[in-house]
Amino acid sequence: MVGAAPGRRGAGGVHRVGGYSPAMPNARNPQSRPWWRDAVFYEIYVRSFADANGDGVGDLAGIRARLDHLVDLGVDALWLTPFYPSPMADHGYDVADPRNVDPLFGDLTGFDALVTDAHDKGLRLIVDVVPNHSSNAHPWFVQALAEGPRSAARDRYLFRDGRGRKGSDPPNNWDSVFGGSAWTQVGDGQWYLHLFAPEQPDLNWRHPDVAADYEQTLRFWLDHGVDGFRIDVAHGLFKDPALPDAPGSSLDLMADTFVPTPTWNQPQVHDVYRHWRSICAADPREPVLVGEVWIGDPSVVADYVRPDELHLAFNFRLLFARWKPQLIRNAIETSIDSLSTVGAPPTWVLANHDVVRQVTRYGGGESGARRARAAILLLLALPGPVFLYAGEELGLPEVELPPEALQDPVWERSGHTIPGRDGCRVPLPWSGERPPYGFAPPGTTTWLPMPDDWGAYTVAAEHSDQDSMLRLYADALRQRRTQPALGDGALEWLEGPSDVLDFTRPDATRAIRCILNMSAQAIDLPDQEVLLSSGGLPDRQLPPDSAVWLIA
């Protein structure tokens, strides 16, 4: 069912790619602390990072050729979105074979070379796994359709008879995250569950084959040298076995207080992660498990990062907080307080491949860029690991694509009323004045069109501009790496005006103070040494929508 692994073999026939060795000292991560507690991860949407073969789609060889950008930027680890064999109905999140590489992106030999090069350059590498569902092209699902109702093959998925006259209605009222019903009827009359697209049937995690197969997948990629896993839809997997009607939408997850639902956050999911944690605990390289837990209630998220479960869970409260001081402070405080009850660090993120880019989200134009510059200093001053998304270091805005270019299944499932997520997935510009900006060889048509006015956003252009977003990110990451007060540790708020966020990161040798001015006027800075600012400081004042790091 899955691909075999060519390449080097270690003792006992186990395939193991070379280990990680740090390329530069890291003052904030002593050996006594797990590496992931304050690492900076960089998400690579594989299709959109760099295209080495000129087909318009990013690939593993393209990533390998651009690793020096990540080293220069100063991140600790890269996270790859799915690169597995797939019909690409959801651009790789519909996995047909979780233990191989889609030819669109390369092959296993190329993946091994990427891991080796990343490790040689001091970068760790984690990969996406997608356990909630498979592709409808997965051999299991093909077999389930062929063998018919009540066959053993169908038990690996959630097939049910319909309701109503002759079973013509779906088994319940569940809706898809991508729009429409979460059920699709097949030719023999039964229905199957897909909480996302119809091409992504949900797996039945109560079936032993599913758990066994995913354990095999984890061990396979660990043997290929990966340093951990980002777990897609980590709060999913199990559904209420009675399949009752749901009281609300599948998207009703981001409220401050979680309302129980038959589709998400079933208690059995925690047993899966306890087992996965034991697999990682047996590996001396300390591979990390990072859960995508789309739940707004931080006390529920905390359950996923108890000491024997996942190491980290995505925290989206700050990402969704509007540009209001009390909302941002509340997102920070509740995240830290909730996770401290289980001894886990909060994670911090402002962007990913599913949300509008922050420059646009913060208002767009000069105002949005100024706020995004301030936000990154806030983000990198917080305690715990940080996740960046490829292109945010360039200040890329969300792209408004023409309807004929949209490919996200959300566009089709919503009846062409919701554009979907393609606007944050446009390929990265590397150099030059015209598309494809070095993303691919000249003349290549990229899988999503690139704007004609992105010449100033290229890596080459921003690298030579001292005031660029790229230089700010690199400077901030360099300071975060070298200042012991930054990263994991304590945070202490300083009281002041309600529209100014002011806190220190204490340390025995030198504390760091972060001030974010969200007021309408410039404010005077205290008499402390400036370490880094998001913009100019005329007359030693911090302008509106600006941030500064001080040596406290």
Side-chain angles (χ1 to χ4, degrees), residues 537-548:
L537 301 172
D539 300 322
R540 198 170 169 80
Q541 288 189 316
L542 184 63
D545 293 335
S546 299
V548 65

Side-chain angles (χ1 to χ4, degrees), residues 318-319 321-325 327-329 331-332 348-350 362 371-384 386 472 476 480 486-487 491 493 500-503 505 513-518 532-534 546-549:
L318 188 59
L319 186 156
R322 288 179 290 126
W323 193 255
K324 302 290 183 182
L327 296 178
I328 289 180
R329 176 164 176 170
I332 294 169
W348 307 106
V349 57
L350 293 176
Y362 290 148
R371 290 175 174 181
R373 291 175 68 92
I376 191 58
L377 290 198
L378 173 74
L379 191 81
L380 292 174
L382 296 173
V386 169
L472 175 65
R480 191 178 194 270
L486 298 177
L491 179 151
W493 291 99
V500 175
L501 299 184
D502 190 352
F503 61 85
R505 302 297 316 284
R513 181 176 181 179
C514 178
I515 305 175
L516 171 60
N517 180 15
M518 304 183 75
L532 185 64
S533 64
S534 64
S546 299
V548 65
W549 289 352

Side-chain angles (χ1 to χ4, degrees), residues 95-220:
V95 179
D97 181 350
R99 298 189 285 278
N100 210 331
V101 175
D102 194 292
L104 182 68
F105 302 126
D107 55 29
L108 277 167
T109 299
F111 178 83
D112 289 345
L114 171 59
V115 172
T116 297
D117 283 2
H119 286 169
D120 287 347
K121 293 177 182 294
L123 298 167
R124 289 182 168 91
L125 185 149
I126 70 172
V127 299
D128 243 310
V129 289
V130 189
N132 180 73
H133 48 264
S134 76
S135 165
N136 62 350
H138 191 290
W140 279 358
F141 194 77
V142 173
Q143 181 186 12
L145 291 182
E147 295 191 6
R150 284 163 283 281
S151 65
R154 288 206 173 178
D155 286 345
R156 297 189 186 112
Y157 295 91
L158 294 166
F159 280 87
R160 294 293 187 273
D161 294 330
R163 297 192 295 194
R165 182 182 172 89
K166 297 183 179 180
S168 59
D169 296 327
N172 61 31
N173 70 345
W174 295 359
D175 57 359
S176 163
V177 172
F178 289 166
S181 174
W183 296 92
T184 288
Q185 191 172 30
V186 299
D188 53 45
Q190 279 204 310
W191 299 73
Y192 69 88
L193 179 69
H194 53 85
L195 290 178
F196 294 87
E199 297 87 355
Q200 296 168 293
D202 280 47
L203 289 159
N204 175 17
W205 269 85
R206 300 178 195 281
H207 195 293
D209 286 359
V210 176
D213 193 69
Y214 262 89
E215 177 174 344
Q216 187 178 351
T217 294
L218 297 186
R219 295 186 185 280
F220 179 88

